[in-house]
Amino acid sequence: MENLGSLAILLAFCVAIYAAVASIVGRVRRKPFLVVSGERAVYSIWALVTLAAAILVHALLTGDFRYSYVAEHSNHAMPALYKFAAWWGGQEGSLLFWSWLLATYSSVVVFTNRRRHRDFMPYVVGALMVVQTFFLLLNNFIATPFKMLSMDGRITAVTDGNGLSPLLQYPAMAIHPPMLYLGYVGFSVPFAFALGSLITRQPGDAWIHTTRRWTLVTWLFQSTGIMLGMAWAYHVLGWGGYWAWDPVENASLLPWLSGTAFLHSVMMQEKKGMMKVWNIVLVSATFFLCILGTFLTRSGVVQSVHAFARSEIGKYFVTFMALGIATTIFLILDRLDYLKSESELESVISRESSFLFNNLILLASCFAVLWGTLFPVISEAVSNNKISLDAEWYNRLMVPIGLFLLLLTGLGPLFAWRRTSKESLRRNFQWPGIASIVLVGALFAAGVRHPYALISFGFCLFVALTVIVEFYKGARSIGNRNNMNYLRAAVELTHRNTRRYGGYLVHIGIVLMFVGFTGNAFKLSDVKEMNAGDNLRIGHYDLKMVRLDQGDNDLYESHTAVMDVYKDGSLLGTLRPEKRFYKASRQGTSEVGLRPRLNEDLYLNFGGMSDDNQRAVIQAYVFPLVSWIWVGGLVLIGGTLICLVPSKIKMQYARTQVLGVVNRNATVQK
Amino acid sequence: MRPFKSSFLALVVVVAAALAQTAAEKPTLDVRRVGARLACQCGCKDSVATCSMLECGFSKPAKERIARMQAVGMSDDQIIQAFVRDYGPGIYLAPPNAWGWIVPYASVGFGLVVIWLFIRKYRKPKPLAEIGPAEIDDPDLAKYKDQIEKDLAKLE
Amino acid sequence: MIIVIACIIAIAVIAFVLGVRGKDLPQPEPESPFAHLDEKKAAIYDNLRDLQFEYRVGKLSEQDYQSTKRDLQKELASVLAEVDRLKGQIGVNGAVPPVAAVAQAARPAQPAAAAKEIGFVCPSCGSKFDQELKFCGECGKPMKAAKA
């Protein structure tokens, strides 16, 4: 079996090289047979990598501990879900997963475009297959998942494996990596289309129209992946945080930030034919940040909780990225004339300018995070000084940037395309602005003194109001013309232009998330060593430890504190924070006791036993508003899904009538 | 006087030890601040403050030790000196130097310059106030007017 | 046993990849040489529609509305002029017989005829339609490219 797996990925590697060469040569030499053969190669790669993956997953599920990968990342006692999740739990498996996703995406792209874009599809396939070749190279020669355990030259099996890291044995964590990877891999497609379009100097923005949905879906996967990571950190790590500026968290944030910038600036090209170079740069940057993200997670350059593997894989990534970036830069510089802007800025006070600033802030935050992630490495390499940037550093830098971004979220939609007179601006600005100032004043009077919190709440209200006003005005106009009630009119409005109003919903989601982030400024915490019968008071809550339980099963041993929660003397419920010790991997984890409510979460963590092993160390936290982060995340997902629904109204206008089949290459020279 | 002082110190150490137990699990801001300047030696490449390994053999006792030292009033520098004495200079993690701060802000400034150049390059020279009639004035294009009007009526 | 399976897989892959026959070549969807201009036109109409809507809900001042509308109309007119120029250049109206597309070299080039006002005729089955259709309503073959 294992030989079959090795053969499949080796064959896939050869076929990937063939696919890249055949597609590009077929296009350059105008040999349609070669191009089609290259496309068939793509399907074959998918079949081969699927076969290899199936063999690995089968070994994981059946517990074939002759495989060193299975022995390291699985064990008998694990539930089947986590045995399956072990596919992406370690380096070799997750790189195979990457390859498999890319092969799947490539096959879908080739299939859906089998009759379209014949002019530049070969280059798209070529670009995808170069990336595929790189990852299959890693699968075959650097991190092969089909390495067997051997002793004295004979393959042997261990009796049981080490098991998946217990921190990862959590439902959200089982699907967090695939979500992020779907996002990482997905950006290869718009990037490949951009390159294909650039190489063949396509007139128009076909690559943007074709990949619009890809980009949105990919962005949705990334957002979901990041949210799941935050939820996991909050629920599992036991310190109540959801974001620690861990290098691997940063790695997932980087392409998300540049991808968000791309989603916005691409509108400039669609609406006005501007910023063509910039969009190619952004989509390329996002793709390479995705590769960098995989690299950071898998190379161990900047170690952290996720990067449990260290290997020689780094220099391959660096070489690949250096070559890729150099090629992309060369192509862009070589074809600058083709990417010339079609129109001009009518006015500085316009939607266009607001997009410029949106891009600036998103990219500045992307760069700041990148800098923070790599600075310790750079510094050590250059001056041999070891440096550490703590969360404090990021917060000081990123909180003002984040708030400014929030403000722009509200301001942008107030500007009209092309030009906005001061009068229109004042009219749109007035009421949301006044309401926000009133809110800040009221909060200040109520005793809130935290400056960032005040600013954040003010901006949140401002953005929310501008979006609500937008919906209200549109719904009123449609409702009055068509005699509908406002709710139906709002649905109608959204259906007519799903991208715009779905986008507004995403903004609302971001606002709700900021509300949740801001709640962090008001958190309470306390720690106490407790025995049965002891009390602890935090915020409005009185906690009483009822008893201390001990448990033992195949997977882990556990201590559980049973805590009654009272508020104003009445019992609200019972929480059971737990400390587990996993036997296979000899690691401990926390299962927190959580009472989530929209206004605040009560969060209890079992820290450990005291020195004399008599009392439990209980860490109690109150996190105001934190649930809004998850609510906001769901709204964001919903808004993005609405963006994916086709708009109801199709343009009605005379299309240019086309007669005969025409050699388009002869027609488009300007 | 003397016995009193030593018993006081002993008390301080006992209290500190009690505090330290919990400090390791939930380091205070003070402990995190000092811990961020010390490299964890468990192989994680993180700092003592950020090492995320549970039950870490190095960072956990180190955090307790920092808390004990702070409880007896040692300054951050003294604590770091003590660690450097015990584990060698390799343990010290410098705070970000000026580059760490300047570069992100410089990038924002650089971006603003780029935007300014962009606006200057693509800004139409025509002033906003110059508003002509809502007609197509170019005679070459006038012939398309009818078709446009017809199409416009069909919108929505 | 494993060796046999391995050989079968390898041979199957090679046969599938290299065995491209003439009839396996995809028939590309006809692409209009005006596609990019139509795209541009669509974008401008889209902008105009948005502009009208924003004006109606009161987000724009009269002045902004009028001047932006005029700009958009100008742009539209220049796109239409470009379409006409292109038409003249490639002789869409029957002046020059069009050349077969590269990707279609394997198949006989379709005859192109130009006659407006008659309606749209499917090149495959000959059905006639009043309006332009992407695909024939009778036989379902693409008919955007050719009409009589």
Side-chain angles (χ1 to χ4, degrees):
Chain A
M1 284 293 263
E2 61 278 4
N3 295 332
L4 217 53
S6 299
L7 172 92
I9 50 176
L10 186 63
L11 205 55
F13 174 68
C14 303
V15 177
I17 295 177
Y18 170 78
V21 175
S23 297
I24 293 169
V25 171
R27 170 63 177 77
V28 173
R29 293 278 174 82
R30 306 230 176 255
K31 298 256 189 290
F33 282 94
L34 214 48
V35 171
V36 172
S37 166
E39 292 183 346
R40 287 190 169 193
V42 174
Y43 299 131
S44 324
I45 292 166
W46 180 81
L48 289 168
V49 179
T50 305
L51 175 66
I55 290 172
L56 182 66
V57 169
H58 180 260
L60 282 167
L61 288 177
T62 54
D64 188 345
F65 295 111
R66 296 174 306 133
Y67 291 78
S68 99
Y69 187 79
V70 179
E72 270 174 52
H73 300 286
S74 178
N75 65 346
H76 278 307
M78 261 176 10
L81 170 71
Y82 297 129
K83 282 183 182 167
F84 187 79
W87 179 11
W88 46 77
Q91 186 188 59
E92 296 85 357
S94 64
L95 287 173
L96 184 67
F97 187 58
W98 226 102
S99 278
W100 183 74
L101 283 180
L102 185 61
T104 312
Y105 277 165
S106 306
S107 302
V108 173
V109 165
V110 167
F111 184 75
T112 53
N113 290 291
R114 65 195 179 285
R115 299 181 52 199
R116 298 191 306 161
H117 308 307
R118 300 312 303 170
D119 199 24
F120 66 91
M121 270 311 283
Y123 286 113
V124 174
V125 173
L128 285 171
M129 285 305 109
V130 169
V131 180
Q132 182 85 65
T133 305
F134 169 68
F135 276 94
L136 282 169
L137 176 91
L138 299 182
N139 295 146
N140 273 297
F141 307 113
I142 317 300
T144 173
F146 298 107
K147 208 166 90 184
M148 309 310 276
L149 294 172
S150 67
M151 195 182 278
D152 305 329
R154 290 190 23 222
I155 292 176
T156 48
V158 289
T159 46
D160 199 0
N162 294 336
L164 194 61
S165 167
L167 284 174
L168 305 183
Q169 296 195 24
Y170 185 81
M173 205 51 192
I175 49 170
H176 160 77
M179 283 291 162
L180 272 187
Y181 273 40
L182 280 165
Y184 278 159
V185 184
F187 265 108
S188 314
V189 175
F191 171 69
F193 269 87
L195 278 192
S197 175
L198 187 64
I199 292 172
T200 53
R201 297 170 187 261
Q202 291 297 305
D205 306 327
W207 73 273
I208 287 183
H209 298 297
T210 311
T211 59
R212 185 158 64 207
R213 291 227 155 73
W214 275 103
T215 318
L216 260 180
V217 170
T218 302
W219 186 85
L220 178 65
F221 281 133
Q222 270 187 350
S223 312
T224 316
I226 293 173
M227 297 290 308
L228 284 173
M230 287 166 74
W232 169 77
Y234 181 73
H235 289 103
V236 171
L237 291 184
W239 50 280
Y242 35 80
W243 197 263
W245 300 107
D246 177 281
V248 172
E249 289 172 332
N250 292 349
S252 66
L253 189 63
L254 289 169
W256 186 85
L257 286 169
S258 63
T260 311
F262 174 68
L263 282 179
H264 285 92
S265 85
V266 89
M267 280 186 253
M268 292 272 276
Q269 184 165 350
E270 285 181 276
K271 288 238 176 201
K272 291 201 68 185
M274 298 179 82
M275 317 258 283
K276 292 183 174 177
V277 182
W278 184 236
N279 285 327
I280 298 248
V281 169
L282 270 184
V283 78
S284 315
T286 307
F287 169 73
F288 286 111
L289 285 172
C290 287
I291 300 284
L292 179 77
T294 316
F295 164 56
L296 285 182
T297 329
R298 289 298 160 214
S299 72
V301 162
V302 242
Q303 281 290 352
S304 68
V305 63
H306 305 255
F308 25 84
R310 242 184 293 175
S311 73
E312 286 299 296
I313 216 160
K315 46 182 187 267
Y316 289 89
F317 269 102
V318 172
T319 314
F320 175 69
M321 285 204 290
L323 287 176
I325 292 172
T327 314
T328 313
I329 291 177
F330 168 77
L331 281 173
I332 293 174
L333 290 180
D334 189 49
R335 286 158 163 76
L336 269 184
D337 57 325
Y338 152 66
L339 294 170
K340 242 168 85 174
S341 180
E342 286 164 22
S343 54
E344 295 170 311
L345 276 181
E346 276 84 359
S347 162
V348 181
I349 310 173
S350 62
R351 181 73 67 84
E352 287 90 322
S353 308
S354 82
F355 274 124
L356 293 182
F357 282 98
N358 148 304
N359 266 251
L360 168 69
I361 295 302
L362 281 169
L363 278 201
S365 52
C366 182
F367 181 76
V369 175
L370 180 65
W371 179 250
T373 312
L374 296 182
F375 186 58
V377 184
I378 296 172
S379 168
E380 202 176 335
V382 172
S383 63
N384 219 7
N385 270 346
K386 281 193 202 163
I387 277 179
S388 92
L389 300 177
D390 43 3
E392 198 66 11
W393 183 86
Y394 284 101
N395 287 340
R396 245 187 283 171
L397 200 64
M398 296 302 287
V399 169
I401 292 182
L403 287 177
F404 192 61
L405 193 61
L406 181 62
L407 176 66
L408 280 180
T409 312
L411 285 181
L414 295 185
F415 290 87
W417 286 97
R418 286 160 194 266
R419 62 174 70 78
T420 313
S421 62
K422 298 212 172 64
E423 192 223 324
S424 314
L425 208 55
R426 189 186 54 75
R427 197 162 37 176
N428 299 331
F429 205 89
Q430 203 169 23
W431 292 112
I434 290 174
S436 309
I437 291 169
V438 169
L439 175 75
V440 171
L443 285 173
F444 191 82
V448 178
R449 290 291 183 276
H450 197 287
Y452 280 149
L454 285 173
I455 295 174
S456 173
F457 282 135
F459 285 175
C460 282
L461 184 69
F462 179 75
V463 180
L465 282 179
T466 52
V467 174
I468 290 169
V469 166
E470 194 82 14
F471 270 99
Y472 169 72
K473 280 181 173 169
R476 191 181 54 187
S477 163
I478 287 187
N480 289 345
R481 283 165 81 95
N482 301 316
N483 225 350
M484 290 176 181
N485 66 39
Y486 281 4
L487 194 65
R488 246 196 84 201
V491 174
E492 171 76 17
L493 176 77
T494 311
H495 200 173
R496 283 194 189 178
N497 194 341
T498 49
R499 277 178 81 196
R500 170 191 290 195
Y501 292 98
Y504 283 150
L505 273 183
V506 173
H507 284 183
I508 289 280
I510 298 282
V511 166
L512 294 177
M513 289 169 77
F514 267 90
V515 169
F517 296 148
T518 313
N520 194 39
F522 308 103
K523 69 174 177 215
L524 303 168
S525 68
D526 203 355
V527 189
K528 197 171 173 187
E529 294 183 8
M530 297 174 81
N531 230 330
D534 286 350
N535 287 301
L536 169 64
R537 185 174 172 81
I538 182 162
H540 312 293
Y541 302 101
D542 285 304
L543 308 174
K544 183 170 187 225
M545 183 181 279
V546 182
R547 61 174 194 275
L548 197 58
D549 288 345
Q550 290 196 21
D552 193 0
N553 65 21
D554 284 351
L555 274 177
Y556 54 82
E557 297 164 16
S558 62
H559 287 280
T560 313
V562 181
M563 309 278 295
D564 277 346
V565 181
Y566 295 91
K567 188 176 180 181
D568 303 326
S570 57
L571 182 66
L572 293 178
T574 307
L575 295 181
R576 296 164 197 276
E578 185 174 294
K579 187 101 189 163
R580 289 180 182 171
F581 185 74
Y582 279 77
K583 292 171 182 168
S585 53
R586 310 199 56 73
Q587 282 187 47
T589 63
S590 293
E591 293 285 306
V592 298
L594 188 64
R595 182 176 185 274
R597 291 296 178 272
L598 285 181
N599 62 337
E600 60 187 20
D601 282 13
L602 176 65
Y603 185 107
L604 300 180
N605 183 36
F606 195 124
M609 293 303 287
S610 62
D611 275 346
D612 52 6
N613 221 3
Q614 293 303 307
R615 284 156 300 155
V617 180
I618 298 294
Q619 299 158 2
Y621 303 83
V622 173
F623 295 112
L625 302 176
V626 75
S627 298
W628 289 101
I629 298 178
W630 323 126
V631 176
L634 291 177
V635 173
L636 182 143
I637 291 171
T640 317
L641 289 175
I642 288 181
C643 289
L644 288 168
V645 175
S647 287
K648 187 171 160 189
I649 295 238
K650 293 277 180 290
M651 290 287 102
Q652 297 263 326
Y653 62 93
R655 277 188 186 281
T656 311
Q657 299 177 350
V658 186
L659 306 150
V661 181
V662 184
N663 182 350
R664 57 184 320 203
N665 289 325
T667 66
V668 291
Q669 287 154 6
K670 281 192 178 180
Chain B
M1 195 64 203
R2 184 86 189 186
F4 170 73
K5 199 173 178 184
S6 59
S7 67
F8 174 73
L9 256 181
L11 185 71
V12 164
V13 169
V14 169
V15 170
L19 277 175
Q21 174 56 40
T22 56
E25 298 295 346
K26 189 193 83 69
T28 61
L29 274 182
D30 295 326
V31 171
R32 283 187 77 94
R33 187 185 62 237
V34 180
R37 301 276 73 85
L38 297 170
C40 184
Q41 308 287 301
C42 73
C44 66
K45 288 195 174 179
D46 273 336
S47 72
V48 165
T50 53
C51 172
S52 44
M53 189 178 161
L54 295 153
E55 311 295 327
C56 171
F58 185 85
S59 66
K60 196 179 163 196
K63 277 182 262 196
E64 288 164 8
R65 187 174 162 198
I66 294 169
R68 272 199 303 277
M69 289 165 138
Q70 282 175 335
V72 295
M74 287 172 74
S75 72
D76 290 5
D77 279 344
Q78 287 171 316
I79 298 173
I80 290 167
Q81 298 271 308
F83 272 92
V84 169
R85 205 170 46 235
D86 292 354
Y87 298 98
I91 196 173
Y92 179 62
L93 292 173
N97 57 18
W99 283 106
W101 285 102
I102 290 172
V103 172
Y105 286 111
S107 74
V108 175
F110 174 74
L112 282 174
V113 172
V114 170
I115 288 186
W116 184 70
L117 288 175
F118 182 87
I119 289 177
R120 252 181 51 139
K121 184 171 175 204
Y122 288 106
R123 176 95 161 81
K124 267 190 184 166
K126 188 183 61 180
L128 183 69
E130 183 206 296
I131 305 289
E135 295 288 331
I136 294 166
D137 29 22
D138 191 338
D140 285 345
L141 302 178
K143 59 176 174 174
Y144 299 107
K145 212 183 115 191
D146 282 348
Q147 196 189 338
I148 291 175
E149 292 293 327
K150 215 168 67 197
D151 284 337
L152 274 183
K154 274 193 284 181
L155 284 183
E156 255 184 305
Chain C
M1 182 61 190
I2 291 285
I3 294 174
V4 175
I5 298 175
C7 289
I8 292 173
I9 290 176
I11 290 168
V13 165
I14 292 170
F16 176 65
V17 170
L18 296 181
V20 182
R21 291 158 303 174
K23 64 172 180 178
D24 295 335
L25 291 182
Q27 299 188 357
E29 270 178 23
E31 282 179 45
S32 156
F34 302 104
H36 66 290
L37 292 170
D38 274 348
E39 226 172 63
K40 227 186 242 174
K41 236 161 74 178
I44 297 175
Y45 278 116
D46 205 22
N47 288 345
L48 271 167
R49 193 171 65 98
D50 274 0
L51 184 77
Q52 240 171 30
F53 190 72
E54 297 214 322
Y55 174 61
R56 214 167 57 221
V57 301
K59 256 182 85 177
L60 284 176
S61 68
E62 174 75 26
Q63 198 193 34
D64 287 351
Y65 172 64
Q66 292 299 351
S67 60
T68 303
K69 187 174 172 188
R70 193 201 46 184
D71 280 359
L72 282 170
Q73 285 180 336
K74 265 189 191 167
E75 274 172 33
L76 193 52
S78 59
V79 172
L80 292 177
E82 172 74 12
V83 170
D84 280 353
R85 199 185 61 78
L86 199 55
K87 269 185 187 167
Q89 193 186 0
I90 62 177
V92 161
N93 291 328
V96 183
V99 196
V102 175
Q104 303 200 327
R107 299 184 299 130
Q110 288 178 350
K116 281 181 183 170
E117 323 303 343
I118 299 176
F120 300 83
V121 179
C122 174
S124 308
C125 68
S127 314
K128 284 189 181 179
F129 299 97
D130 289 341
Q131 63 197 104
E132 184 188 4
L133 295 174
K134 217 171 176 179
F135 297 97
C136 174
E138 290 297 326
C139 67
K141 295 241 166 80
M143 61 174 285
K144 192 181 163 195
K147 51 187 143 0

